[in-house]
Amino acid sequence: MEYRIEHDSMGQMKVPADRYWGAQTQRSLENFRISTEKIPMEVIRAFGYLKKASALVNHDLGKLDAPRTDAICAVCDEILSGQLDDHFPLSVWQTGSGTQSNMNVNEVIANRGNELAGEKLLHPNDHVNMSQSSNDTFPTAMHIAAVCAIRQNLLPAIAQMISTMKGLEEANRGIVKSGRTHLQDATPIAFSQEISGWRAMLERDQEMIGLALGPLSHLALGGTAVGTGLNAHPEFAVRAAERISQLTGCPFQTSENKFQALTSKDELVFAHGALKALAADLMKIANDIRWLASGPRCGLGEITIPENEPGSSIMPGKVNPTQCEAVTMAAVQVMANDTAVGMAASQGNFQLNVFMPVCIHNFLQSVRLLSDCLISFEKNCVRGITANREKMHHNLHNSLMLVTALSPRIGYENAAKTAQYAHRQGVSLREACISLGFLTPEEFDELFHPEEMI
């Protein structure tokens, strides 16, 4: 491998000749050979927006000349298009402020910009990092990445699942089945009502995640090192947030209190709580679906789901609810991530939080998992759900909890005796009620209409 010599304030470093990063990135790469998790590309894209917006604002404020502004913007566009992904190799497990990733971006922009310009035009600190500090850029990139990922990926995936659930509701109207509480038989419910519960969960999650976007839209940029805005123009923060909004198509605003913005990660904790709520609901929905589809002969068997792949290497013909399993595993990971995000956010010391890379790594993994699982679950399972009407009818009419309809006439205790007698003797509720002398056949038939109990 060929190398070139780069330098920083600590001296010279050998850097691979085919990479645009500089000495500080190389030091981090060599000093933090920890695991395989890299700074998420969503954060790098966010830095692309941030650095472009900062250059444009610094130019507007008369601090950065046109050639340097154009060079920075050109490289940022390459970052946003994914052309330079291989030049951002740093580990999540680095400095807790994300300083080395901020410098990684600065160095790549400077070296690539100089290459495009054909001259040494840009310095990573003096020009690319103008009016900025790692302490305000990394938390800003975190918020940009979080908002963009939620708006562009997660919310559309939730909306598609809600739409599919609405279609299932309509397709299954008129089907009445046995309800279940505590995994035991309960009073009847319409299948469309059961589906509506799933759909409403997702709608509520959608609403809560939407509420969390408000606090996440506040940006730390402009606070520089400790929140005072040292070395930044007084108008920089407001203008930069406006530019970032224009570039991303998402609404952002400058944080009113930069001291809070640099050291607190409460917005990410709040937003991840909404992600955890979605994960909890997806866990419940996926479990409901695989319970209802259990069988095909020895389970509930009230619905069928798509058969996507063989389920066993030893049992021929076995098919498993694999999409449900993937969703529930992802939900567990999101719930675990919530603990990591909360603990990371609690580690603010004085003017800075130094657990930011692990915080955003877990946050964005959760958004990614939920987005991808919703898309896969909707496509490969939920849209293919069909009701087994015969099994639902059989289970409904064999449920002892239908005796609830008789309670107003014969009383709770006599209704309980009827259910217990029917269960012990293996007879129908009708036979039990008549045998015990609580109702005549005509009276029972007048009262007993399961399909009307919903």
Side-chain angles (χ1 to χ4, degrees):
M1 180 182 291
E2 295 184 1
Y3 293 90
R4 70 179 191 278
I5 300 299
E6 289 272 348
H7 77 276
D8 59 12
S9 61
M10 297 184 71
Q12 294 184 339
M13 289 293 293
K14 288 172 60 178
V15 175
D18 61 346
R19 291 295 179 259
Y20 291 121
W21 65 69
Q24 291 198 47
T25 303
Q26 190 65 32
R27 290 185 195 280
S28 181
L29 196 56
E30 294 180 10
N31 291 337
F32 297 96
R33 298 184 183 277
I34 303 173
S35 194
T36 59
E37 296 83 10
K38 306 300 181 187
I39 292 294
M41 288 313 301
E42 297 97 327
V43 173
I44 302 303
R45 301 277 187 274
F47 266 114
Y49 288 122
L50 183 162
K51 297 295 179 180
K52 183 174 182 178
S54 296
L56 291 169
V57 172
N58 281 323
H59 174 67
D60 292 344
L61 294 170
K63 297 186 65 174
L64 192 66
D65 61 34
R68 289 186 171 90
T69 301
D70 292 343
I72 292 172
C73 290
V75 182
C76 287
D77 288 341
E78 291 185 349
I79 291 172
L80 292 170
S81 70
Q83 292 175 240
L84 303 178
D85 286 1
D86 291 342
H87 299 269
F88 302 101
L90 297 188
S91 173
V92 166
W93 318 107
Q94 53 162 284
T95 174
S97 63
T99 297
Q100 292 146 15
S101 284
N102 179 48
M103 286 308 303
N104 182 191
V105 175
N106 290 337
E107 290 174 343
V108 168
I109 293 174
N111 285 330
R112 173 58 176 158
N114 290 337
E115 182 179 71
L116 291 173
E119 60 177 313
K120 197 166 181 62
L121 197 64
L122 298 173
H123 186 280
N125 298 83
D126 294 338
H127 305 121
V128 186
N129 202 57
M130 181 183 286
S131 305
Q132 306 154 57
S133 162
S134 299
N135 295 353
D136 67 347
T137 60
F138 201 87
T140 295
M142 292 168 71
H143 279 210
I144 295 171
V147 168
C148 289
I150 289 171
R151 285 188 178 276
Q152 295 167 10
N153 300 320
L154 182 55
L155 290 179
I158 297 173
Q160 179 58 54
M161 181 65 89
I162 290 170
S163 176
T164 297
M165 291 288 190
K166 288 179 179 177
L168 279 177
E169 280 182 72
E170 290 302 317
N172 288 283
R173 290 200 184 279
I175 302 174
V176 180
K177 60 187 288 293
S178 179
R180 294 180 178 87
T181 57
H182 303 271
L183 296 181
Q184 305 296 307
D185 303 343
T187 55
I189 186 174
F191 187 34
S192 60
Q193 291 173 327
E194 189 166 34
I195 297 168
S196 78
W198 301 338
R199 185 252 308 155
M201 290 177 202
L202 296 173
E203 289 174 336
R204 182 55 57 86
D205 294 326
Q206 183 183 50
E207 177 186 357
M208 291 188 291
I209 292 169
L211 289 172
L213 287 173
L216 278 177
S217 70
H218 293 254
L219 303 181
L221 192 61
T224 64
V226 296
T228 62
L230 182 67
N231 291 348
H233 190 284
E235 298 178 24
F236 175 79
V238 171
R239 291 195 185 201
E242 291 172 352
R243 280 283 190 176
I244 291 169
S245 298
Q246 293 167 7
L247 294 173
T248 61
C250 299
F252 289 101
Q253 58 187 297
T254 190
S255 178
E256 292 183 7
N257 190 307
K258 301 298 188 297
F259 307 105
Q260 178 271 340
L262 266 61
T263 194
S264 174
K265 302 294 144 238
D266 50 8
E267 301 94 343
L268 287 158
V269 173
F270 179 72
H272 201 281
L275 300 182
K276 182 172 71 170
L278 173 59
D281 281 338
L282 286 175
M283 174 74 82
K284 181 265 190 300
I285 292 167
N287 277 335
D288 281 359
I289 289 172
R290 62 176 167 180
W291 272 108
L292 291 172
S294 61
R297 292 190 175 179
C298 299
L300 295 179
E302 291 191 345
I303 64 172
T304 58
I305 57 178
E307 298 181 347
N308 296 323
E309 59 273 321
S312 173
S313 61
I314 190 174
M315 293 175 279
K318 195 174 192 300
V319 180
N320 296 328
T322 51
Q323 288 293 317
C324 297
E325 291 164 7
V327 169
T328 52
M329 284 192 292
V332 166
Q333 184 63 59
V334 172
M335 294 175 196
N337 286 351
D338 192 69
T339 299
V341 169
M343 292 184 70
S346 74
Q347 298 303 306
N349 302 124
F350 302 117
Q351 279 68 60
L352 187 67
N353 177 285
V354 290
F355 281 65
M356 289 192 285
V358 69
C359 183
I360 194 61
H361 164 69
N362 282 277
F363 188 99
L364 291 173
Q365 185 191 50
S366 292
V367 176
R368 229 177 286 123
L369 282 170
L370 292 168
S371 302
D372 291 349
C373 277
L374 279 161
I375 292 169
S376 180
F377 194 35
E378 185 277 331
K379 176 184 176 183
N380 298 309
C381 181
V382 176
R383 73 169 64 169
I385 289 174
T386 57
N388 184 336
R389 292 171 179 256
E390 293 78 15
K391 191 64 179 288
M392 287 182 178
H393 183 271
H394 171 80
N395 289 342
L396 173 66
H397 284 267
N398 278 276
S399 171
L400 296 177
M401 290 305 100
L402 297 178
V403 76
T404 305
L406 307 178
S407 291
R409 176 72 69 87
I410 67 175
Y412 182 93
E413 292 191 10
N414 286 340
K417 290 177 183 177
T418 299
Q420 292 161 359
Y421 182 89
H423 181 56
R424 286 195 303 268
Q425 301 299 320
V427 298
S428 69
L429 288 173
R430 187 176 190 275
E431 293 173 293
C433 193
I434 294 168
S435 296
L436 292 170
F438 297 141
L439 292 171
T440 65
E442 294 76 18
E443 289 172 331
F444 185 92
D445 292 341
E446 179 185 349
L447 287 174
F448 196 75
H449 300 287
E451 283 76 10
E452 297 177 7
M453 292 173 65
I454 60 172

